[in-house]
Amino acid sequence: MLVKRILNLIVFSLLLGGCANLKWINPFAEIKVEDMEPRVKFVDKSDIVVEPSALPKIKPELVVASYKRLLARGNSTIRKVALRRLADLTMRLAETKLNIDSPEQLNRLSPAIRQATFAEAINLYQQLLLEYPEYDKAADVKYQLARALSLNSEPEKSLALLDQIAVTPVKASSYVESQFRRGESYFVRKKYLIAEKAYSEVITQGKGTTFFDKALYKRGWSLFKQSLFPEAQQDFFVLLERLLEKKSKTTQVSKLTEDLINDTKRVISLAFYNLDGASSVQNYFDTHGARGYEDQIYDALAKLYIEQERFQDASDTYLGFIERNPLAATAPDFHSRVIDIYKVGGFPSLILPAKESYVVNYGRNSKFWQLHTGLIINNIKPQLRKHLEDISRYYHAQAQQSKKPNDFVIAAKWYKEILDTFNDPKVDSKYRFSMAEALSEGHLYLQAAKEFEVVAYKNESSSYSRDAGYRALVAYQSVQYPSSTSQVEKLSQVISSGLKFAKNFPSDKEAASIMARAAEQQLTIKDVSGAISTSRQLLTLAAPPSQKQIDRALIIIANGLFDLKQYVEAEAAITSLFVEVKLSKKQKQNFHQRRAEAIYQQAEHAKQNNQLGKAVELFLKVGILEPLALVAVNAKFDAATLLLQTKQWGKAANLFEGFRNQYPKHQLSKAIPEKLAYIYEEQQNWERAAKEYQTLAANNTDKELAREGFWHVAELYQKSGDKVKAIAAFKHYVWTYPKPYLLSQEARNNLVSMY
């Protein structure tokens, strides 16, 4: 039994020292009262106050010799004092050797210390009591004698002497101490009832002494050993409150006080363990009222259960405290310990609900969070983050197995809880990226895209930024819109996200493809300016685009400029295409037509701004650069018309003549005779004017106008001096238009004159 008790004590000590991390498991299934021992010992400790004679500051050999000389004198009073002081000095000298471990240390001591023994002190105390039975301090001498007997390995004689002191109490300074030592002696002998009475005497007589707390502690243990657990707890709770109050009033707590506090809590938990466990703790505080150290008692009992592998009881104990004190500062720590117990105890199904409960009880939306601030909240944040991360990852993993969108949404909500709780830019990207992933997998693409963009473009750059930017673009492309949604609404966010990616990650291998696609999408929604800008940016990317992407960008720019009626830039861009881009036959035809149109529109613009000379040059440029373009015909005609307007008769006439020769069947050619007639008439080139008017008159369907035309032809020939042609013209008129009569007669008159 002794061997087993020693083993139990060693094991129990190891457990209490290491229970915080739950790595050691006690092989014993139950705790027996007889195996439990107090861990704090008081007898013969250096901090116990004894009242021996003060050791002089001179050599002890000289002092001892002086006292012995005094003993030889015949004076009784002097002898009595000398005996007492010599006995006390011998005790002190003998006690000095108690901590000596080696002969070398002993040899370094003075001769008086080496020669002093407890046996010699015993003889001196006994001689004093024998010679002076009426000595007024006999009780103190007896106590010192009892100590000497105990230290001299004569415990029975020491106890007998202490019993004498107890039977015949006197008002001596050593009475309380002797009773305490007596209690210690009987406690060691397992005579707990007698020990209890001795400790009770100390408690009654020793208030205000250093033995009061120690007696409370040992009387509690004496009652505990008798299985009087409620009675034992009365002493232990009184002691605990005294010690905690003492501790609160000082910054430096002695090791003895700290040991007493720890073992007092331990034995209180042992008492509850032997009663009804956690329910008895609850009943106790229900009866006696709440205490500030209540959490320490629950904690001590829970640790005891852990040592015994009673994990469910341990978790119930912590949960019992939490239920009673949900807003206590220690509640979150106890909750975390419950989770640890579930891990060690093999309750995996309870771990996740416990973590969720932790978040509900102490998270940012809880009453606990609203009540507490500062250090308390800061202390729970690491655990809160850990639990939230575990919960969110668990649900994310579950969703990836089930593939159900709603399961992904649940995981996303837990990630959001982390983000809402911790305003920490260093980890925001990590959790926000995971949340966005879950939202995307839950088919909430629009929400996912926005969260990805926060990671990519609003948070400080991190290892998640690039992937987040790309995933945002993919998410936007995956959004399912109602059928009534316009293309602009569908593509605007996709385009914006793509452009952000290219701007922030210009060296990325996907940047060129994303920009090329964005330009096409901009064309789809008729954002021509945007498409031009995007294409230009694509051409300057750090990661060079492919030749195909370059060609397409140049085409978009050229077409875009034309569509935006920026004809000067469009002409230049199209001209560059013919040099830089390998165009198909159809593309070439199209761009030749567009270049001609661009130049023509520039001419029209100059014409509208009354820059007629520039307009003529541009109209003529169309024919030079793009002679086969449809608009080239109009350009040539328009140039001639402007020359006519500016009275450049020769140039205008040449252009009109050339146009008619080149396009004789063109609709515009029908108007040329009139224009040429006008030009020639202005040049007083009557004959050419006459020819043109003749053509006009011959083709005029209006008979009256035709008649007037033929008359004017005759007049012009007459002016030119060509009488033959003039006669022919007037004869044609007279034969064709007999009416009006007077004009016909005038024609005849002209003929007569010319004849």
Side-chain angles (χ1 to χ4, degrees):
M1 177 62 74
L2 179 60
V3 172
K4 183 178 180 182
R5 184 181 300 124
I6 293 171
L7 282 172
N8 276 343
L9 285 172
I10 294 171
V11 168
F12 205 70
S13 175
L14 288 172
L15 275 171
L16 283 183
C19 64
N21 50 25
L22 308 173
K23 291 182 178 178
W24 199 89
I25 299 177
N26 188 355
F28 301 103
E30 61 177 286
I31 300 176
K32 297 181 179 179
V33 173
E34 58 269 24
D35 294 330
M36 294 296 100
E37 296 293 340
R39 292 182 174 177
V40 182
K41 296 183 179 180
F42 306 110
V43 177
D44 300 322
K45 290 281 185 181
S46 59
D47 55 350
I48 299 296
V49 179
V50 187
E51 297 181 0
S53 300
L55 193 63
K57 294 183 180 180
I58 59 176
K59 291 184 178 182
E61 290 82 3
L62 297 178
V63 179
V64 170
S66 297
Y67 285 143
K68 286 183 177 180
R69 284 197 299 273
L70 291 173
L71 290 177
R73 296 186 179 183
N75 190 313
S76 174
T77 301
I78 293 175
R79 179 177 174 78
K80 179 170 59 176
V81 173
L83 273 172
R84 172 65 190 276
R85 294 200 173 182
L86 182 58
D88 287 345
L89 178 58
T90 304
M91 272 287 289
R92 288 292 304 278
L93 294 175
E95 284 179 304
T96 303
K97 296 185 290 184
L98 287 175
N99 295 324
I100 300 300
D101 297 326
S102 65
E104 291 77 9
Q105 289 178 312
L106 185 63
N107 290 332
R108 286 197 292 269
L109 299 175
S110 65
I113 297 176
R114 291 200 302 271
Q115 295 168 9
T117 64
F118 292 117
E120 182 182 356
I122 291 169
N123 290 332
L124 290 169
Y125 284 130
Q126 288 176 338
Q127 188 175 350
L128 176 61
L129 293 172
L130 182 63
E131 292 184 15
Y132 303 98
E134 301 301 324
Y135 183 44
D136 58 346
K137 295 184 179 181
D140 293 339
V141 173
K142 288 181 180 179
Y143 174 69
Q144 290 290 71
L145 176 57
R147 282 189 73 244
L149 289 166
S150 176
L151 293 170
N152 200 43
S153 301
E154 299 179 70
E156 299 302 327
K157 291 182 180 180
S158 174
L159 181 57
L161 192 56
L162 291 173
D163 283 340
Q164 290 180 22
I165 298 172
V167 172
T168 56
V170 294
K171 292 183 179 180
S173 60
S174 60
Y175 176 72
V176 170
E177 186 175 352
S178 63
Q179 284 288 15
F180 182 78
R181 184 176 290 276
R182 179 169 170 265
E184 295 287 80
S185 297
Y186 278 112
F187 190 92
V188 170
R189 289 167 175 76
K190 302 186 183 304
K191 296 183 178 181
Y192 300 117
L193 181 59
I194 301 175
E196 174 198 341
K197 293 179 179 179
Y199 293 130
S200 296
E201 189 68 16
V202 176
I203 293 169
T204 302
Q205 301 292 333
K207 290 182 179 179
T209 68
T210 58
F211 293 96
F212 184 80
D213 290 343
K214 300 167 188 175
L216 273 174
Y217 174 75
K218 293 308 290 282
R219 186 174 73 175
W221 266 106
S222 299
L223 292 165
F224 180 87
K225 287 292 189 178
Q226 298 173 67
S227 297
L228 301 173
F229 303 119
E231 293 82 353
Q233 285 184 330
Q234 290 181 17
D235 280 351
F236 286 126
F237 274 112
V238 171
L239 174 61
L240 181 62
E241 291 183 4
R242 284 175 57 84
L243 294 174
L244 292 176
E245 183 181 7
K246 184 188 298 183
K247 182 178 180 180
S248 67
K249 292 180 179 179
T250 180
T251 56
Q252 292 184 339
V253 181
S254 68
K255 185 177 184 305
L256 177 62
T257 300
E258 201 64 63
D259 290 346
L260 270 176
I261 291 173
N262 292 334
D263 205 50
T264 300
K265 290 188 291 187
R266 166 180 167 267
V267 70
I268 289 173
S269 68
L270 285 168
F272 282 128
Y273 180 94
N274 283 281
L275 292 169
D276 294 321
S279 60
S280 60
V281 180
Q282 181 174 338
N283 292 334
Y284 178 87
F285 288 111
D286 284 342
T287 303
H288 295 84
R291 295 290 191 273
Y293 53 81
E294 187 174 338
D295 57 334
Q296 300 180 45
I297 304 305
Y298 276 93
D299 186 36
L301 178 60
K303 289 177 178 177
L304 190 59
Y305 279 132
I306 292 171
E307 294 167 10
Q308 297 299 304
E309 296 186 23
R310 293 174 60 174
F311 299 114
Q312 190 63 58
D313 289 327
S315 63
D316 288 345
T317 301
Y318 281 128
L319 291 174
F321 174 81
I322 294 171
E323 184 178 354
R324 281 176 53 83
N325 307 277
L327 301 179
T330 51
D333 181 54
F334 282 5
H335 204 124
S336 291
R337 296 188 192 187
V338 170
I339 294 171
D340 290 338
I341 290 170
Y342 289 156
K343 291 177 182 177
V344 175
F347 304 105
S349 62
L350 300 178
I351 294 174
L352 184 68
K355 290 184 176 183
E356 291 179 345
S357 177
Y358 186 99
V359 174
V360 171
N361 292 346
Y362 316 113
R364 65 184 180 87
N365 295 318
S366 66
K367 290 183 179 179
F368 184 93
W369 189 280
Q370 296 168 7
L371 176 65
H372 296 287
T373 57
L375 187 61
I376 293 176
I377 294 299
N378 289 335
N379 286 340
I380 70 168
K381 281 185 176 180
Q383 282 295 325
L384 192 60
R385 176 180 290 177
K386 181 178 182 299
H387 295 329
L388 278 169
E389 189 174 52
D390 290 345
I391 294 167
S392 53
R393 285 181 175 175
Y394 171 82
Y395 280 113
H396 202 160
Q398 290 292 101
Q400 288 171 336
Q401 290 183 357
S402 70
K403 306 298 183 184
K404 295 179 180 177
N406 286 340
D407 290 348
F408 285 108
V409 175
I410 292 172
K413 288 180 179 178
W414 284 110
Y415 284 124
K416 189 175 188 304
E417 184 73 17
I418 300 177
L419 295 172
D420 291 342
T421 303
F422 303 100
N423 183 20
D424 187 350
K426 294 181 179 178
V427 297
D428 185 281
S429 292
K430 171 185 175 182
Y431 296 120
R432 195 175 295 277
F433 186 88
S434 297
M435 179 180 72
E437 275 191 319
L439 288 170
S440 179
E441 291 167 311
H443 299 169
L444 297 177
Y445 298 113
L446 190 57
Q447 295 180 38
K450 294 184 182 300
E451 297 301 337
F452 277 130
E453 285 194 328
V454 171
V455 177
Y457 311 122
K458 293 185 180 180
N459 285 357
E460 185 177 344
S461 181
S462 70
S463 59
Y464 297 91
S465 299
R466 184 270 171 198
D467 288 344
Y470 190 80
R471 292 288 296 275
L473 178 58
V474 173
Y476 277 127
Q477 292 172 336
S478 303
V479 175
Q480 299 295 318
Y481 291 98
S483 57
S484 59
T485 307
S486 67
Q487 281 290 83
V488 174
E489 291 177 288
K490 290 179 181 179
L491 293 177
S492 292
Q493 290 177 314
V494 177
I495 294 167
S496 175
S497 185
L499 295 180
K500 285 179 184 176
F501 182 90
K503 178 181 178 181
N504 286 272
F505 310 103
S507 300
D508 192 87
K509 64 180 182 178
E510 299 292 338
S513 297
I514 290 172
M515 290 202 78
R517 185 164 54 250
E520 299 294 348
Q521 291 165 337
Q522 287 170 317
L523 290 178
T524 301
I525 63 173
K526 303 188 184 326
D527 180 10
V528 178
S529 295
I532 293 171
S533 176
T534 300
S535 297
R536 284 173 171 166
Q537 292 176 49
L538 185 149
L539 296 173
T540 61
L541 274 178
S546 67
Q547 188 59 49
K548 183 178 180 181
Q549 291 167 340
I550 293 173
D551 291 351
R552 180 57 183 159
L554 291 172
I555 290 172
I556 289 174
I557 293 169
N559 278 328
L561 291 170
F562 183 86
D563 292 339
L564 293 176
K565 300 182 180 180
Q566 298 177 22
Y567 296 116
V568 176
E569 295 87 345
E571 178 196 347
I574 293 170
T575 301
S576 296
L577 285 183
F578 294 132
V579 178
E580 299 177 15
V581 179
K582 188 176 181 180
L583 300 171
S584 67
K585 182 178 180 180
K586 186 175 181 180
Q587 285 177 318
K588 286 181 180 179
Q589 291 174 346
N590 177 62
F591 280 115
H592 278 301
Q593 293 294 336
R594 288 210 151 195
R595 183 167 69 165
E597 182 67 26
I599 301 170
Y600 184 87
Q601 291 297 334
Q602 292 177 57
E604 283 289 321
H605 180 74
K607 175 182 171 183
Q608 291 170 7
N609 288 280
N610 205 30
Q611 297 174 325
L612 302 182
K614 183 178 180 181
V616 170
E617 290 178 9
L618 290 169
F619 280 133
L620 294 175
K621 184 179 179 181
V622 174
I624 295 169
L625 290 180
E626 300 293 348
L628 300 180
L630 296 175
V631 76
V633 178
N634 295 70
K636 190 170 185 178
F637 188 87
D638 291 341
T641 303
L642 284 179
L643 289 170
L644 174 63
Q645 291 177 10
T646 56
K647 299 182 180 181
Q648 298 182 55
W649 312 119
K651 292 181 180 179
N654 289 335
L655 281 178
F656 280 130
E657 290 283 1
F659 186 92
R660 185 166 53 188
N661 292 332
Q662 190 174 1
Y663 310 109
K665 295 182 180 181
H666 197 280
Q667 184 68 25
L668 290 174
S669 293
K670 294 178 181 179
I672 289 176
E674 182 179 4
K675 295 182 182 297
L676 284 173
Y678 176 77
I679 293 170
Y680 291 142
E681 195 169 5
E682 287 293 324
Q683 289 179 318
Q684 296 184 359
N685 190 340
W686 312 119
E687 188 172 352
R688 283 195 173 188
K691 286 182 180 179
E692 298 301 328
Y693 277 121
Q694 190 170 359
T695 302
L696 283 172
N699 293 324
N700 203 320
T701 56
D702 188 325
K703 291 183 178 181
E704 183 62 23
L705 291 176
R707 181 191 64 76
E708 291 178 356
F710 281 119
W711 176 263
H712 192 57
V713 169
E715 286 184 321
L716 288 173
Y717 277 129
Q718 191 177 23
K719 281 184 179 182
S720 70
D722 189 341
K723 291 182 179 182
V724 176
K725 290 182 179 178
I727 290 171
F730 278 122
K731 285 172 67 175
H732 177 268
Y733 181 85
V734 171
W735 295 340
T736 307
Y737 303 104
K739 295 180 181 180
Y741 176 76
L742 290 179
L743 200 59
S744 176
Q745 284 295 92
E746 184 178 350
R748 289 186 178 93
N749 184 57
N750 287 336
L751 284 170
V752 170
S753 297
M754 284 186 288
Y755 282 139

